[in-house]
Amino acid sequence: MNFQTVSWFYPNFWKTPGNKPPPSIPVCGFYNEKCPVETDGSIIKVIGGAVGGTIFLIGAIIASVLLRRKQNEEQLMLMQWKLKSDEITPIDTKQLRAFSSNSVSIVSTAAVADVDVSVSVVAVGVSVVAVGVSVMVVTVGVSVVAVGVRVSVVAVGVSISVVAVTAASLEDTQAAEHSLRQKHEALLSRLYMCRGRMAVLKRLTREQFHVPREELLLLKELKDMSHDNVNLFIGMCMEGDNRSIVMEYCNKGSLYDILEHEDTKLDWNFRSSFIFDLVKGMEYLHTTQFLSSHGRLKSTNCVIDSRWVLKITDYGPHYYTIPLDTAEAYMDKKSLLWAAPELLRTPTPPYQGTHKADVYSFGIILSEIIIRAAPYDHNNKEFDEIVQRVELRETPPYRPVLNDADRTQCPESLVRLMHQCWSEEPERRPSFFAIRRELRNVFGDKSTNIMDNVLKMMETHANNLESTVNERTKMLIEEKKKTDVLLYRLLPATIADALKFGRDVPPETYEQVTIFFSDIVGFTNICSQSTALQVVDLLNDLYSTFDAIIKSHDAYKVETIGDSYLVASGLPKRNGSRHVAEIADMSLGMMVEVKTFRIRHMPRTQMKMRIGIHTGPCAAGVVGSAMPRYCLFGDTVNTASRMESNGEGMRMHET
Ligand SMILES: Nc1nc2c(ncn2[C@@H]2O[C@H](COP(=O)(O)OP(=O)(O)OP(=O)(O)O)[C@@H](O)[C@H]2O)c(=O)[nH]1
Ligand SMILES: [Mg+2]
């Protein structure tokens, strides 16, 4: 059967249009040789589409870049850093006071020159009010006491007084005070309010100037900068009387001021916190595009805020503020101590310095922190000589000297790092990133600021206090129990309680009580043969025995008078008529004890005792307020006494 025949018999056999069998040779041949490749319009269309798409994409990118640039340009021209003269207002005394009410700063920098801002906790008053106390600073108050500052930090449940230590002797510090006061007065004249912040002004020295485009970019970058360790650049005013660069005011002064103040206690927690802050701030500045480096990094340009956070300040176009006559010098004379040797050797060094020069300046600041003094303080050389010798390529290079005391109290690895930072060769100085990594090895990871550490310490302290208070309360209760026991031995419990709570104890009458009196027969004779101490021992032995007997009866020992012993039953707690039996039973017990009682120093002598008992009405009350005594009054007492004195040895005389 051929193909044709199959399709006749099976109409859908081939499943092709017309149910035709497939051709024996494929349309394009077995190797596509019958269909040559054609460059028809469709491929051209595809390529055209791709090119068009790419052009469109590039166009879109260019458009967005241009738009961005335009926006940036607009932003640039907006000059948000530009301050109007009337935005800068003088500080009035009210603002000054308001400001000083929540900081130590203004006092330390402006009003009182000799105030030391070191903090040492001298007294801790604690009142734990809730379980799981969490410390929260509610108020911070400042009061100036003579030359001292007292800061009270009131926390929920915990009140801690922090006292700043002051210069020990005014005489010693008079010269320093004078220069400080001058410095503070100068600073005070530069303090203003600007956009709701307290600000330090740095006067511009040029009357009028054109700000070129690259400086506009720099100023915009400064305005946009935001970092915890970079002091806020509020802006620049180029008009009117207040033509100046305006930086936020940090109230604890500069690092230089703090280090200079010898009485300020700065432990290594504080110092390491400052170092970390400084490095973090510099690391940030070095990542900026237009500023790039500081150029005049020094301890006076590291300011400390109210939370003891160090902030780098006076970065940026400081050349606007250099007096015109010294404009040739890229920095003032004193700043040369922090300047890298390669800059000292350059006739016209760049105003903004270099990364490596900043690291050098950081090395000098490290030395200040370690020696706690101005740079090169221990070198004992004149300023000019120091600068000259640093500039000269001496071997070893001329650098700040540390004395033995500095070295012993400072981590050795920090000294090594400092040496690296002030290397003569700039390329051997580490970057701030590397410095931060190294500092972590030196100090451990100190991610928190010193104030946060202090608060954490307070919180831990508060939690510890809670358990301490509980423990002490338990001890107090134990002690109170002991004093109560003692008190209850001296006075009846009800009376003692009433006296304890300051209540009056009115005298009380009892219709029927039984009074017991006892006396030692021949006591005078015994005394004559004994020393005073032997007599005391005798009475103590005997009455301790009696006290033990009383304990097992409902009777109250009123007092002992010499050798006589007074006991009552039926008071202060009434017991119906049981008092008679109680006293009788107690007396018999005492008789038995006396028979076997041995006088320690006269073992052969038999002790004898007379007992008198009487039942009747009686009055009782507390007499006196200084040594209060519970006393019995009435005939019954007298009768009982008579019964005893008229009785016989080893006999009970009763009515
Ligand atoms: N408390 C406080 N003092 C500041 C502040 N800024 C500057 N000072 C003080 O003012 C003094 C003078 O500061 P500047 O005029 O900036 O002089 P400088 O820091 O020595 O030098 P340059 O900044 O390089 O011009 C510093 O030594 C600080 O003691 C601040 O924000 N707070
Ligand atoms: Mg400065």
Side-chain angles (χ1 to χ4, degrees):
M1 197 162 29
N2 63 19
F3 286 161
Q4 198 67 47
T5 321
V6 171
S7 57
W8 287 340
F9 285 100
Y10 303 100
N12 280 325
F13 181 81
W14 293 110
K15 300 211 173 18
T16 54
N19 195 26
K20 291 218 172 95
S24 39
I25 296 171
V27 179
C28 286
F30 285 106
Y31 300 101
N32 222 26
E33 70 277 6
K34 292 186 180 171
C35 298
V37 181
E38 286 175 33
T39 49
D40 67 356
S42 65
I43 290 178
I44 292 171
K45 272 184 217 155
V46 170
I47 293 171
V51 171
T54 313
I55 291 171
F56 177 77
L57 200 68
I58 292 172
I61 292 172
I62 291 173
S64 82
V65 168
L66 288 176
L67 190 72
R68 193 73 175 271
R69 200 175 273 183
K70 189 167 171 270
Q71 282 172 346
N72 280 348
E73 208 61 27
E74 278 169 10
Q75 284 275 321
L76 200 63
M77 289 310 150
L78 265 181
M79 295 192 242
Q80 278 165 335
W81 50 265
K82 201 170 179 180
L83 298 170
K84 291 202 182 87
S85 189
D86 56 12
E87 284 184 279
I88 301 170
T89 52
I91 250 171
D92 59 37
T93 43
K94 217 165 114 195
Q95 278 165 327
L96 206 64
R97 227 177 291 128
F99 191 80
S100 56
S101 74
N102 60 12
S103 71
V104 192
S105 61
I106 193 72
V107 180
S108 70
T109 54
V112 184
D114 46 345
V115 168
D116 181 338
V117 289
S118 80
V119 178
S120 62
V121 177
V122 281
V124 183
V126 189
S127 63
V128 178
V129 287
V131 179
V133 186
S134 76
V135 176
M136 192 176 86
V137 177
V138 177
T139 60
V140 181
V142 179
S143 61
V144 182
V145 187
V147 291
V149 181
R150 173 173 284 268
V151 184
S152 296
V153 182
V154 182
V156 175
V158 182
S159 101
I160 295 189
S161 300
V162 184
V163 171
V165 183
T166 59
S169 140
L170 276 175
E171 271 174 34
D172 294 349
T173 53
Q174 256 173 6
E177 259 176 46
H178 181 68
S179 77
L180 263 177
R181 195 161 282 132
Q182 275 184 334
K183 209 166 156 186
H184 293 141
E185 271 160 20
L187 180 65
L188 197 59
S189 67
R190 290 166 52 197
L191 288 187
Y192 283 78
M193 288 305 289
C194 182
R195 296 192 176 169
R197 293 175 191 274
M198 199 156 174
V200 185
L201 264 53
K202 215 159 184 185
R203 299 280 168 190
L204 300 182
T205 42
R206 299 179 199 183
E207 281 297 317
Q208 281 198 334
F209 52 89
H210 164 71
V211 183
R213 185 182 158 72
E214 62 273 18
E215 275 170 19
L216 283 182
L217 288 167
L218 170 62
L219 288 164
K220 181 179 179 299
E221 184 179 66
L222 299 188
K223 185 68 193 160
D224 293 343
M225 266 173 18
S226 159
H227 191 275
D228 265 359
N229 304 112
V230 173
N231 195 26
L232 187 76
F233 168 72
I234 301 177
M236 185 161 87
C237 175
M238 300 191 297
E239 57 173 54
D241 294 337
N242 291 325
R243 297 165 52 261
S244 50
I245 291 179
V246 184
M247 303 295 291
E248 186 165 26
Y249 171 72
C250 284
N251 60 15
K252 288 217 177 352
S254 69
L255 180 64
Y256 184 92
D257 300 336
I258 288 182
L259 292 173
E260 201 185 24
H261 242 220
E262 282 176 8
D263 301 317
T264 308
K265 304 282 175 288
L266 278 186
D267 64 8
W268 274 96
N269 263 339
F270 266 84
R271 296 191 209 190
S272 63
S273 171
F274 289 154
I275 298 171
F276 269 103
D277 286 351
L278 174 50
V279 172
K280 282 189 272 179
M282 284 310 296
E283 207 182 334
Y284 175 79
L285 285 188
H286 280 193
T287 58
T288 53
Q289 191 185 352
F290 299 106
L291 177 65
S292 178
S293 45
H294 191 292
R296 49 207 286 133
L297 181 62
K298 51 186 175 168
S299 48
T300 58
N301 283 339
C302 298
V303 282
I304 315 292
D305 77 359
S306 56
R307 290 183 63 243
W308 292 92
V309 176
L310 182 146
K311 292 172 184 264
I312 297 160
T313 195
D314 288 344
Y315 47 84
H318 45 77
Y319 37 84
Y320 290 158
T321 62
I322 297 173
L324 285 178
D325 50 348
T326 60
E328 289 303 306
Y330 76 103
M331 54 172 66
D332 61 289
K333 206 174 160 203
K334 202 176 167 213
S335 302
L336 296 178
L337 291 178
W338 288 269
E342 67 272 15
L343 296 188
L344 291 176
R345 288 173 205 134
T346 315
T348 48
Y351 278 118
Q352 76 280 10
T354 63
H355 281 195
K356 294 299 179 187
D358 280 351
V359 174
Y360 176 91
S361 311
F362 168 75
I364 303 292
I365 298 178
L366 262 188
S367 77
E368 294 177 73
I369 293 176
I370 294 171
I371 67 175
R372 280 226 46 189
Y376 296 93
D377 188 81
H378 295 354
N379 291 46
N380 297 323
K381 289 278 183 283
E382 288 301 314
F383 170 84
D384 288 332
E385 187 185 339
I386 293 171
V387 178
Q388 236 171 36
R389 292 185 64 176
V390 173
E391 196 178 336
L392 286 173
R393 206 182 283 269
E394 289 190 10
T395 324
Y398 190 75
R399 298 290 184 270
V401 171
L402 306 191
N403 60 27
D404 289 345
D406 301 328
R407 282 175 193 278
T408 46
Q409 46 92 31
C410 152
E412 212 184 303
S413 43
L414 189 68
V415 178
R416 271 201 303 274
L417 181 66
M418 178 179 74
H419 280 270
Q420 269 180 30
C421 291
W422 69 35
S423 294
E424 189 65 37
E425 311 307 327
E427 49 293 350
R428 292 183 63 190
R429 296 174 202 151
S431 67
F432 278 107
F433 175 75
I435 293 173
R436 187 154 62 93
R437 224 178 24 205
E438 183 54 28
L439 283 175
R440 273 203 225 119
N441 294 335
V442 179
F443 296 115
D445 192 8
K446 295 254 168 70
S447 48
T448 48
N449 162 259
I450 192 72
M451 209 60 194
D452 297 335
N453 280 338
V454 170
L455 285 178
K456 256 193 208 151
M457 275 163 52
M458 281 166 67
E459 198 165 352
T460 318
H461 188 57
N463 291 335
N464 289 346
L465 283 174
E466 204 187 314
S467 58
T468 311
V469 167
N470 284 342
E471 208 176 286
R472 296 288 144 84
T473 310
K474 253 190 218 159
M475 286 166 69
L476 185 71
I477 291 170
E478 284 305 309
E479 288 306 309
K480 197 173 155 291
K481 268 188 198 158
K482 283 185 203 163
T483 52
D484 280 353
V485 167
L486 199 62
L487 189 63
Y488 294 149
R489 281 187 193 166
L490 299 174
L491 290 167
T494 48
I495 310 281
D497 286 342
L499 287 178
K500 240 180 8 187
F501 295 112
R503 288 199 301 266
D504 280 345
V505 185
E508 211 174 332
T509 51
Y510 298 85
E511 295 75 42
Q512 280 246 314
V513 295
T514 299
I515 309 274
F516 164 103
F517 262 99
S518 73
D519 198 50
I520 295 167
V521 178
F523 184 68
T524 324
N525 202 15
I526 294 172
C527 286
S528 64
Q529 296 169 35
S530 317
T531 64
L533 287 179
Q534 285 170 335
V535 175
V536 173
D537 283 343
L538 157 68
L539 290 178
N540 192 34
D541 289 347
L542 181 68
Y543 292 150
S544 300
T545 318
F546 285 3
D547 290 346
I549 295 170
I550 290 174
K551 265 194 193 152
S552 53
H553 293 85
D554 180 14
Y556 176 71
K557 174 184 165 184
V558 182
E559 60 184 330
T560 55
I561 309 149
D563 62 329
S564 61
Y565 194 85
L566 169 59
V567 181
S569 180
L571 61 78
K573 221 166 83 193
R574 290 179 173 78
N575 57 9
S577 56
R578 240 183 49 231
H579 47 89
V580 182
E582 292 287 347
I583 291 290
D585 200 30
M586 180 196 82
S587 308
L588 288 171
M590 286 180 179
M591 278 295 185
V592 173
E593 278 300 324
V594 169
K595 268 186 195 155
T596 55
F597 185 80
R598 288 281 163 267
I599 301 171
R600 274 194 258 171
H601 64 284
M602 302 164 82
R604 287 157 195 268
T605 310
Q606 174 60 53
M607 162 88 76
K608 285 188 180 166
M609 190 174 69
R610 285 187 303 269
I611 291 178
I613 300 172
H614 181 66
T615 300
C618 167
V622 177
V623 179
S625 57
M627 279 273 286
R629 284 178 57 200
Y630 186 65
C631 297
L632 308 183
F633 304 95
D635 266 354
T636 309
V637 183
N638 294 334
T639 310
S641 173
R642 299 284 168 274
M643 296 299 285
E644 174 269 309
S645 52
N646 292 300
E648 281 187 17
M650 299 310 280
R651 292 279 186 275
M652 287 157 53
H653 195 195
E654 53 194 280
T655 50

